[in-house]
Amino acid sequence: MLEIDKIRDDFPILKQTRTDKPFIFLDNSATTLKPWHVQNAICNYYEHYSANALRGDYDQSYFVDKKIEEARKKICQFIGAEFVDEIIFTSGATEALNLAAFGYGKFHLKAGDIILTTIAEHASCLLPWIKVAQETSATINWIPLDETGRLNINKMKQMLNDKVKFIVLAHVTNVLGYLSPIKEICQLAHQKNIIVVVDGAQSISQHDINVQDLDCDFFAFSGHKICGPTGIGVLYGKAKLLKEMMPLHWGGGSNIFYDMHGEIQLKRSPYKFESGTLALEAIFGFSEAIDYLENIGIKEIYHHVMELKRYAVKEMKKMPNIILYNSEADSGIITFNVKGIFAGDVAKYFNNHGICIRSGEHCTKLLHSHLNTLSTLRASIYFYNTKNEIDIFLNACQNATKENCYKIIFANSSLLK
């Protein structure tokens, strides 16, 4: 069992004194709060080193080089990769997914080839492959969802043939929070030499990831989803595939040789993909975030998150004003609406109670047509959330009526005049 009070002391933002309303952060799928350990690691870079990597023949630069490789090794172990060189630093999951699409997919697709995905994917997972399909004259085929919104594995099996070259999926979907059976999908895909690209942005925070066990070919995630800084992420790729992959960016640090005639010799992976100056302070913080989460324990985090989520869902099912879309989610994501009220207006009502949740399409424009709604509300739980916070959230859900929501909106509108 997690020592929640002790854990919450690690987060400076949770210790701020607020007199007008509480601060209950339930937008953890968008980003997570940062413990002081991570903040100190970032400041440590600026205060004591502030040197570029791979550029200087002096102590500070050498230390930064070491920290980068230490962080790469930690991440390699954290996700169960086989080789450290399979870990590429990116600016986040979005760049990582673009690198897989344009650095590898674009060069291994031709007219008539098929990419399989679903309408539940985040735009950062879908849009690169839509563009690659357009540029290569490949086709995107959509794996059906079942009645709950989960990927229909039986339908997917029927779609596998020699034309399918890539399957691109989220490990955990960011709206409905369902865990895709990636290991089974990889087993089926590899029987037909199909490459599997996994968006791990939502699963990395609370699921025990082992990319070798999953046997996925690419796995992308961001640091800020696991208590790390923004501006840093990772693309994992199998070593044999990275040898064939091209960079997204070309510049300093990625090459061994180039000449006036256009001959370019690139370094080996991961360095050929890391042109220019990396987000060095973010790597310092990312490394500390990995240590912090491992000290708490990913399995303990998942247990706590799911305990709070199941409790919240159980109570929300009793509320006649609430529409739940994913009561059986495999994560801390609760997606819902309040009957008869636009999601954005309800989010303002929650904000007035000091509760941070997200409203809108959540970068999944195709999914909301499937859900038969323009937008939804998403509350997402993490390990520093408490039962008391969930009770306050539930009380706000219970009292989310048109009268209460619009009273707040109109009052705030009058204050702006």
Side-chain angles (χ1 to χ4, degrees):
M1 184 176 293
L2 301 183
E3 298 181 66
I4 299 300
D5 289 341
K6 184 177 179 182
I7 285 171
R8 286 174 67 86
D9 282 341
D10 291 337
F11 292 83
I13 195 170
L14 296 177
K15 297 169 73 175
Q16 295 178 22
T17 302
R18 300 169 188 267
T19 56
D20 57 334
K21 56 187 177 184
F23 175 69
I24 299 174
F25 193 76
L26 294 175
D27 194 20
N28 294 290
S29 287
T31 195
T32 51
L33 305 181
K34 321 306 176 194
W36 62 260
H37 312 68
V38 170
Q39 296 179 37
N40 284 358
I42 294 168
C43 291
N44 184 46
Y45 167 77
Y46 285 120
E47 290 177 3
H48 300 289
Y49 303 98
S50 205
N52 209 335
L54 308 175
R55 303 289 192 275
D57 299 313
Y58 51 91
D59 290 345
Q60 284 93 337
S61 183
Y62 171 71
F63 180 82
V64 173
D65 292 348
K66 280 187 63 179
K67 287 295 288 186
I68 291 171
E69 297 315 314
E70 285 172 10
R72 205 187 302 275
K73 185 176 180 180
K74 279 183 191 177
I75 294 162
C76 176
Q77 294 170 345
F78 186 65
I79 65 170
E82 185 174 5
F83 303 113
V84 173
D85 291 350
E86 294 174 321
I87 306 300
I88 302 165
F89 285 118
T90 66
S91 64
T94 297
E95 185 183 23
L97 290 163
N98 272 268
L99 178 54
F102 288 96
Y104 188 86
K106 183 178 178 179
F107 297 97
H108 292 80
L109 284 166
K110 62 182 185 303
D113 286 344
I114 294 171
I115 303 159
L116 295 183
T117 187
T118 79
I119 61 170
E121 309 310 314
H122 190 282
S124 293
C125 189
L126 277 185
L127 295 187
W129 291 94
I130 289 174
K131 291 302 295 180
V132 164
Q134 291 171 351
E135 292 182 18
T136 60
S137 297
T139 301
I140 293 182
N141 287 352
W142 304 92
I143 303 167
L145 305 178
D146 66 18
E147 62 279 0
T148 69
R150 288 183 186 271
L151 177 147
N152 190 319
I153 188 72
N154 291 323
K155 293 287 186 181
M156 192 206 77
K157 290 177 184 177
Q158 297 170 17
M159 299 172 74
L160 298 181
N161 57 56
D162 292 338
K163 288 287 188 180
V164 178
K165 303 302 178 185
F166 289 88
I167 298 175
V168 182
L169 297 169
H171 195 187
V172 170
T173 55
N174 75 301
V175 174
L176 297 179
Y178 294 136
L179 183 71
S180 298
I182 294 298
K183 185 173 181 177
E184 181 182 359
I185 289 168
C186 289
Q187 289 172 345
L188 294 167
H190 292 157
Q191 291 171 14
K192 294 185 175 293
N193 297 315
I194 299 168
I195 299 295
V196 181
V197 180
V198 179
D199 172 3
Q202 297 297 333
S203 62
I204 192 71
S205 64
Q206 53 198 263
H207 289 272
D208 194 6
I209 304 299
N210 187 306
V211 291
Q212 288 188 78
D213 183 58
L214 293 174
D215 200 24
C216 57
D217 298 291
F218 294 99
F219 188 93
F221 62 98
S222 294
H224 72 98
K225 306 280 192 183
I226 52 172
C227 299
T230 55
I232 192 72
V234 163
L235 177 66
Y236 156 82
K238 288 182 177 176
K240 63 181 180 181
L241 303 180
L242 297 183
K243 289 180 181 178
E244 304 172 19
M245 191 162 80
M246 298 299 289
L248 275 185
H249 310 294
W250 298 77
S254 64
N255 64 86
I256 296 170
F257 169 85
Y258 64 92
D259 62 20
M260 293 172 64
H261 304 289
E263 182 180 344
I264 303 171
Q265 185 178 354
L266 293 172
K267 292 180 178 178
R268 62 180 172 84
S269 177
Y271 308 108
K272 70 176 181 178
F273 305 110
E274 296 177 350
S275 288
T277 299
L278 294 168
L280 301 173
E281 80 291 350
I283 290 175
F284 274 57
F286 197 2
S287 179
E288 192 64 38
I290 296 291
D291 287 342
Y292 184 78
L293 288 193
E294 288 193 318
N295 185 55
I296 293 172
I298 293 294
K299 290 180 180 178
E300 287 74 14
I301 288 172
Y302 180 73
H303 176 77
H304 176 78
V305 167
M306 293 303 290
E307 186 175 39
L308 291 183
K309 176 256 174 185
R310 292 186 188 106
Y311 168 65
V313 165
K314 179 183 176 183
E315 296 304 312
M316 292 172 78
K317 282 182 175 180
K318 302 173 185 177
M319 302 177 190
N321 61 324
I322 298 295
I323 304 168
L324 272 171
Y325 296 96
N326 65 334
S327 59
E328 300 302 319
D330 310 298
S331 66
I333 295 172
I334 303 171
T335 300
F336 67 105
N337 267 323
V338 176
K339 290 179 182 177
I341 313 176
F342 178 61
D345 293 337
V346 181
K348 294 182 180 70
Y349 159 82
F350 275 98
N351 177 63
N352 195 68
H353 289 77
I355 303 167
C356 308
I357 63 172
R358 187 153 291 242
S359 69
E361 297 171 321
H362 318 295
C363 297
T364 56
K365 296 180 186 299
L366 301 181
L367 178 64
H368 280 76
S369 60
H370 176 82
L371 298 177
N372 197 30
T373 183
L374 294 174
S375 60
T376 55
L377 295 155
R378 185 184 69 185
S380 44
I381 300 166
Y382 209 29
F383 63 90
Y384 38 67
N385 291 126
T386 67
K387 183 175 182 294
N388 181 60
E389 288 182 325
I390 300 303
D391 283 332
I392 295 170
F393 165 72
L394 289 170
N395 185 63
C397 288
Q398 183 75 56
N399 293 297
T401 63
K402 284 185 178 180
E403 180 183 4
N404 289 337
C405 287
Y406 290 118
K407 185 189 299 181
I408 288 167
I409 291 168
F410 293 144
N412 289 339
S413 297
S414 64
L415 289 174
L416 293 174
K417 293 179 181 177

